[in-house]
Amino acid sequence: MAELIDGKQLAKTINDQTKQSVDELKAQGINPKLIVIIVGGDKASQVYVRNKQRKAVQLGIISETKQLPEETTQAELLALIDLYNQDDTVHGIMVQSPLPAQIDEAAITRAILPTKDADGFNPENVGKLYSNSNLNFPVSCTPKGIMMMLKAYQVTVPGANAVIVGRSNIVGRPMAALLLNASATVTVVHSHTQDMSAYTRKADILIVATGIANLIKGEDIKPGATVIDVGMDRDANGKLTGDVDFDSAKAVAGKITPVPGGVGPMTIASLMQQTVELAKWSE
């Protein structure tokens, strides 16, 4: 039976450390501030943003949510971002996905100053990640949180065979770069990969981020592997589940994250931690 990786408990530890950092910065006259912009009324986004806002307030981070109507133009959104880019009291800016069809998400990502890029999506920061830069820069929050999980649960990364299922700019690609920077041997598989399970069955560390419920079964997992499930899906009965079939996987894996209570809390904890880091680096 696999050891459960408790993301909820680990996030609490990270948040306690973040709160301490916030208190130290405030004593120096620095008040970390995060701006979250949401366009339209996507319900899942509304919930996620509310959770971020609540956690920021708990940790003493100033957090403002700017709600814009569905018909907001790209020019209007860019103008708002420019306003916050020029505001020295703002340390982190993030624009919640998805965006309405009339707005080019890539253009919005490029518009946020790299030094205020709370999500770590700006191409300049992505370049620093892939070149394994020794400078200070933000990193995509979910992969950042996963790296903290691996460290906390003493998973050996150098020399490990790490397989990532999914190649999104939010999880798969930055995750690959972080693991490569940590000296893992990294393979990325995706929808065009032939015989995917031939790769997943060899993984010491298996990270799954596809949005396909129960895609990975116990038979697809190497005995004793560490399995990180990034998915947040609904099964046929409407029950919350991940990309990994938890029941069959936990019988094979050495360590595994649950859904919910695994990666999700760590993503928000990473965002809060990163906002405070941006505030520190801005001085």
Coordinates of all heavy atoms in Angstrom, one line a residue, residues 130 142-143 146 162-177 179 186-193 196 199-200 205-212 215-216 228-231 243-244:
Y130 N 14.5 27.2 -18.4 CA 15.0 26.2 -19.3 C 16.6 26.3 -19.4 O 17.2 25.3 -19.7 CB 14.4 26.3 -20.7 CG 13.1 25.5 -20.8 CD1 11.9 25.9 -20.3 CD2 13.2 24.2 -21.3 CE1 10.8 25.2 -20.4 CE2 12.1 23.4 -21.3 CZ 10.9 23.9 -20.9 OH 9.7 23.1 -20.9
T142 N 2.3 25.2 -10.0 CA 2.1 23.8 -9.8 C 3.4 22.9 -9.8 O 3.6 22.2 -8.9 CB 1.0 23.2 -10.8 OG1 -0.2 23.9 -10.6 CG2 0.8 21.7 -10.6
P143 N 4.2 23.1 -10.8 CA 5.5 22.3 -10.8 C 6.4 22.7 -9.6 O 7.0 21.9 -9.0 CB 6.1 22.7 -12.1 CG 5.0 23.1 -13.0 CD 4.0 23.7 -12.1
I146 N 5.1 20.8 -6.7 CA 5.5 19.4 -6.8 C 6.9 19.2 -6.4 O 7.2 18.2 -5.7 CB 5.2 18.9 -8.3 CG1 3.7 18.9 -8.5 CG2 5.8 17.5 -8.5 CD1 3.3 18.6 -10.0
A162 N 12.2 10.0 -14.6 CA 11.0 10.8 -14.4 C 10.2 10.8 -15.7 O 10.8 11.2 -16.7 CB 11.3 12.2 -13.9
V163 N 8.9 10.4 -15.6 CA 8.1 10.5 -16.8 C 6.9 11.4 -16.5 O 6.2 11.3 -15.5 CB 7.5 9.1 -17.2 CG1 6.5 9.2 -18.3 CG2 8.7 8.2 -17.6
I164 N 6.7 12.4 -17.4 CA 5.6 13.3 -17.3 C 4.6 13.0 -18.4 O 4.9 13.0 -19.6 CB 6.1 14.8 -17.4 CG1 7.2 15.1 -16.4 CG2 5.0 15.8 -17.3 CD1 8.0 16.3 -16.7
V165 N 3.3 12.9 -18.0 CA 2.3 12.6 -19.0 C 1.5 14.0 -19.1 O 0.8 14.4 -18.3 CB 1.3 11.5 -18.5 CG1 0.3 11.2 -19.6 CG2 2.0 10.3 -18.1
G166 N 1.7 14.6 -20.3 CA 1.1 15.9 -20.6 C 2.2 16.9 -20.9 O 3.3 16.9 -20.2
R167 N 2.0 17.8 -21.8 CA 3.0 18.8 -22.2 C 2.5 20.2 -22.2 O 3.0 21.0 -23.0 CB 3.5 18.4 -23.6 CG 2.4 18.2 -24.6 CD 2.9 17.9 -26.0 NE 1.8 17.5 -26.9 CZ 1.9 17.3 -28.2 NH1 3.1 17.5 -28.8 NH2 0.8 17.0 -28.9
S168 N 1.6 20.6 -21.3 CA 1.1 21.9 -21.3 C 2.2 22.9 -20.8 O 3.2 22.5 -20.2 CB -0.1 22.0 -20.3 OG 0.3 22.0 -19.0
N169 N 2.0 24.2 -21.2 CA 2.9 25.2 -20.7 C 2.8 25.5 -19.2 O 3.6 26.1 -18.6 CB 2.7 26.5 -21.5 CG 3.1 26.4 -22.9 OD1 4.0 25.7 -23.2 ND2 2.5 27.2 -23.8
I170 N 1.6 25.1 -18.6 CA 1.3 25.3 -17.2 C 2.0 24.3 -16.3 O 2.5 24.6 -15.3 CB -0.2 25.4 -17.0 CG1 -0.8 26.6 -17.7 CG2 -0.5 25.5 -15.5 CD1 -2.3 26.6 -17.7
V171 N 2.0 23.0 -16.8 CA 2.5 21.9 -15.9 C 3.6 21.1 -16.6 O 4.8 21.1 -16.2 CB 1.4 21.0 -15.4 CG1 2.0 19.9 -14.5 CG2 0.3 21.7 -14.7
G172 N 3.3 20.5 -17.7 CA 4.2 19.5 -18.3 C 5.6 20.0 -18.7 O 6.6 19.5 -18.3
R173 N 5.6 21.1 -19.4 CA 6.9 21.7 -19.9 C 7.7 22.2 -18.8 O 8.9 21.9 -18.7 CB 6.7 22.7 -21.0 CG 6.1 22.1 -22.3 CD 5.7 23.1 -23.3 NE 4.9 22.5 -24.4 CZ 5.4 22.2 -25.6 NH1 6.6 22.3 -25.8 NH2 4.6 21.6 -26.5
P174 N 7.2 23.1 -17.9 CA 8.0 23.6 -16.8 C 8.4 22.5 -15.8 O 9.5 22.5 -15.2 CB 7.2 24.7 -16.1 CG 5.8 24.5 -16.6 CD 5.9 23.8 -17.9
M175 N 7.5 21.5 -15.6 CA 7.9 20.4 -14.8 C 9.1 19.6 -15.3 O 10.0 19.2 -14.6 CB 6.7 19.4 -14.7 CG 6.8 18.3 -13.7 SD 6.4 19.0 -12.0 CE 8.1 18.8 -11.3
A176 N 9.1 19.4 -16.6 CA 10.3 18.7 -17.3 C 11.5 19.5 -17.0 O 12.6 18.9 -16.7 CB 10.0 18.6 -18.8
A177 N 11.5 20.8 -17.2 CA 12.7 21.7 -17.0 C 13.2 21.6 -15.5 O 14.4 21.5 -15.3 CB 12.4 23.1 -17.4
L179 N 12.7 19.2 -13.3 CA 13.3 17.9 -13.0 C 14.6 17.7 -13.7 O 15.6 17.1 -13.1 CB 12.3 16.8 -13.5 CG 11.1 16.6 -12.6 CD1 10.0 15.8 -13.3 CD2 11.4 16.0 -11.2
V186 N 14.6 12.7 -17.9 CA 13.2 13.1 -18.1 C 12.6 12.7 -19.4 O 13.3 12.9 -20.5 CB 13.0 14.7 -17.9 CG1 11.5 15.1 -18.1 CG2 13.5 15.1 -16.6
T187 N 11.4 12.1 -19.4 CA 10.7 11.8 -20.6 C 9.3 12.4 -20.5 O 8.7 12.3 -19.5 CB 10.5 10.2 -20.8 OG1 11.8 9.6 -20.7 CG2 9.8 9.9 -22.0
V188 N 8.9 13.0 -21.6 CA 7.5 13.6 -21.7 C 6.7 12.8 -22.7 O 7.1 12.7 -23.9 CB 7.6 15.1 -22.1 CG1 6.2 15.7 -22.1 CG2 8.4 15.9 -21.1
V189 N 5.6 12.3 -22.3 CA 4.7 11.6 -23.2 C 3.4 12.4 -23.3 O 3.1 13.1 -22.4 CB 4.5 10.1 -22.7 CG1 5.8 9.4 -22.7 CG2 3.8 10.1 -21.4
H190 N 2.7 12.1 -24.4 CA 1.5 12.9 -24.7 C 0.5 12.2 -25.6 O 0.7 11.0 -25.8 CB 1.9 14.3 -25.3 CG 3.0 14.2 -26.3 ND1 2.7 13.7 -27.6 CD2 4.3 14.4 -26.3 CE1 3.8 13.7 -28.3 NE2 4.8 14.1 -27.5
S191 N -0.4 12.9 -26.1 CA -1.5 12.2 -26.9 C -1.0 11.6 -28.2 O -1.7 10.7 -28.7 CB -2.6 13.3 -27.3 OG -2.0 14.4 -28.0
H192 N 0.2 12.0 -28.7 CA 0.7 11.4 -29.9 C 1.7 10.3 -29.6 O 2.3 9.7 -30.5 CB 1.3 12.4 -30.8 CG 0.3 13.3 -31.4 ND1 -0.2 13.1 -32.7 CD2 -0.3 14.4 -31.0 CE1 -1.0 14.1 -33.0 NE2 -1.1 14.9 -31.9
T193 N 2.0 10.0 -28.3 CA 3.0 9.0 -27.9 C 2.4 7.6 -28.2 O 1.3 7.3 -27.8 CB 3.3 9.1 -26.5 OG1 3.9 10.4 -26.2 CG2 4.4 8.0 -26.0
M196 N 2.1 4.4 -24.6 CA 2.4 5.3 -23.5 C 2.8 4.5 -22.3 O 3.8 4.8 -21.5 CB 1.3 6.2 -23.2 CG 1.6 7.2 -22.1 SD 0.1 8.2 -21.7 CE -0.2 9.1 -23.2
Y199 N 6.4 3.6 -21.4 CA 7.2 4.6 -20.7 C 6.8 4.7 -19.2 O 7.7 4.8 -18.4 CB 7.0 6.0 -21.4 CG 7.5 6.0 -22.9 CD1 6.6 5.7 -23.9 CD2 8.8 6.3 -23.2 CE1 7.1 5.7 -25.2 CE2 9.3 6.3 -24.5 CZ 8.4 6.0 -25.5 OH 8.8 6.0 -26.8
T200 N 5.5 4.8 -19.0 CA 5.1 5.1 -17.6 C 5.5 3.9 -16.7 O 5.8 4.1 -15.5 CB 3.6 5.3 -17.5 OG1 2.9 4.1 -17.9 CG2 3.1 6.4 -18.4
I205 N 9.6 8.3 -11.0 CA 8.7 9.4 -10.6 C 7.7 9.6 -11.8 O 8.2 9.8 -12.9 CB 9.5 10.7 -10.4 CG1 10.5 10.5 -9.2 CG2 8.5 11.9 -10.1 CD1 11.5 11.7 -9.1
L206 N 6.4 9.5 -11.6 CA 5.4 9.6 -12.6 C 4.5 10.8 -12.3 O 3.9 10.8 -11.2 CB 4.6 8.3 -12.7 CG 3.5 8.3 -13.8 CD1 4.0 8.5 -15.2 CD2 2.7 7.0 -13.7
I207 N 4.5 11.8 -13.2 CA 3.7 13.0 -12.9 C 2.6 13.0 -14.1 O 3.0 13.0 -15.3 CB 4.5 14.2 -12.9 CG1 5.5 14.1 -11.7 CG2 3.7 15.5 -12.8 CD1 6.6 15.1 -11.7
V208 N 1.4 13.1 -13.7 CA 0.3 13.0 -14.7 C -0.6 14.2 -14.7 O -1.1 14.6 -13.7 CB -0.6 11.7 -14.4 CG1 -1.6 11.5 -15.6 CG2 0.2 10.5 -14.1
A209 N -0.6 14.9 -15.8 CA -1.3 16.2 -15.9 C -2.0 16.3 -17.3 O -1.5 16.9 -18.2 CB -0.4 17.4 -15.7
T210 N -3.1 15.6 -17.5 CA -3.8 15.5 -18.8 C -5.2 16.1 -18.8 O -5.8 16.4 -19.8 CB -3.8 14.1 -19.3 OG1 -4.7 13.3 -18.4 CG2 -2.5 13.5 -19.4
G211 N -5.9 16.0 -17.6 CA -7.3 16.4 -17.6 C -8.2 15.2 -18.0 O -9.4 15.4 -18.3
I212 N -7.7 14.0 -18.1 CA -8.4 12.8 -18.5 C -8.6 11.9 -17.3 O -7.6 11.4 -16.8 CB -7.8 12.1 -19.6 CG1 -7.5 13.0 -20.9 CG2 -8.6 10.8 -20.0 CD1 -6.7 12.4 -21.9
L215 N -7.0 8.1 -16.3 CA -6.2 7.7 -17.5 C -5.2 6.6 -17.1 O -5.0 5.6 -17.9 CB -5.5 8.9 -18.1 CG -4.5 8.6 -19.3 CD1 -5.3 8.1 -20.5 CD2 -3.7 9.8 -19.6
I216 N -4.5 6.8 -16.0 CA -3.4 5.9 -15.6 C -3.9 4.9 -14.6 O -4.4 5.3 -13.5 CB -2.2 6.7 -15.0 CG1 -1.6 7.7 -16.1 CG2 -1.1 5.8 -14.5 CD1 -1.0 7.0 -17.3
I228 N 2.5 11.4 -8.9 CA 1.9 12.7 -8.6 C 0.8 12.9 -9.6 O 1.0 13.0 -10.8 CB 3.0 13.8 -8.7 CG1 4.3 13.5 -7.9 CG2 2.4 15.2 -8.4 CD1 4.1 13.6 -6.4
D229 N -0.4 13.1 -9.1 CA -1.6 13.2 -9.9 C -2.0 14.7 -9.9 O -2.5 15.2 -8.8 CB -2.7 12.4 -9.3 CG -3.9 12.3 -10.2 OD1 -4.0 13.1 -11.2 OD2 -4.8 11.5 -9.9
V230 N -1.9 15.4 -11.0 CA -2.2 16.8 -11.1 C -3.6 17.0 -11.5 O -4.2 18.1 -11.4 CB -1.2 17.5 -12.1 CG1 -1.5 19.0 -12.1 CG2 0.2 17.3 -11.7
G231 N -4.3 16.0 -12.0 CA -5.6 16.1 -12.5 C -6.7 16.4 -11.5 O -6.6 16.1 -10.3
D243 N -6.3 12.2 -12.6 CA -5.9 11.5 -13.9 C -5.5 10.1 -13.6 O -5.3 9.3 -14.6 CB -4.8 12.3 -14.6 CG -5.2 13.7 -15.1 OD1 -6.4 14.0 -15.0 OD2 -4.4 14.4 -15.5
V244 N -5.2 9.8 -12.4 CA -4.8 8.4 -12.0 C -5.9 7.7 -11.3 O -6.6 8.3 -10.4 CB -3.5 8.5 -11.0 CG1 -3.1 7.2 -10.5 CG2 -2.4 9.3 -11.7

